[in-house]
Amino acid sequence: RGIGPGLAQFGVPSVLAKPELILSRNSLTVARNSGFAGTADAAAIISAASTVGAFPLPNGSADAAILLNLEPGAYTAQVLGLAGSSGNALVEIYEIP
């Protein structure tokens, strides 16, 4: 997950309003998301977060999240602000049982 707006509920100031989460391997983009709430797998992402004990994101959240199976190896997760925006953000990575 690439959390920006969801951090506001914890009193984090100057959150990244529109985060984009990019997952890459060997300089190739594997997946990207900028607002999981509007994706086809939003319900699965919410369920997975609950399964691992991650804090819930607000309804209609602009936070980013990706849910996928990965081959073993080294990956890079990056959170960027859309349109060059900046702010505080958090990258979370979970292994879903």
Side-chain angles (χ1 to χ4, degrees), residues 35-57:
F36 87 95
T39 65
D41 60 351
I45 290 171
I46 291 168
S47 176
S50 176
T51 298
V52 298
F55 64 88
L57 298 173

Side-chain angles (χ1 to χ4, degrees), residues 1-4 7 16 19-23 55 63-66 75-80 87-94:
R1 303 191 317 176
I3 311 299
L7 295 176
L16 183 59
E20 178 177 35
L21 176 61
I22 302 169
L23 183 68
F55 64 88
D63 294 294
I66 300 168
Y75 294 85
T76 300
Q78 236 182 338
V79 176
L80 304 172
N88 290 315
L90 172 68
V91 173
E92 300 176 316
I93 300 170
Y94 298 97

Side-chain angles (χ1 to χ4, degrees), residues 4-5 14-19 62-63 81-82 85-88:
S14 304
V15 297
L16 183 59
K18 297 200 179 265
D63 294 294
L82 290 177
S85 60
S86 63
N88 290 315

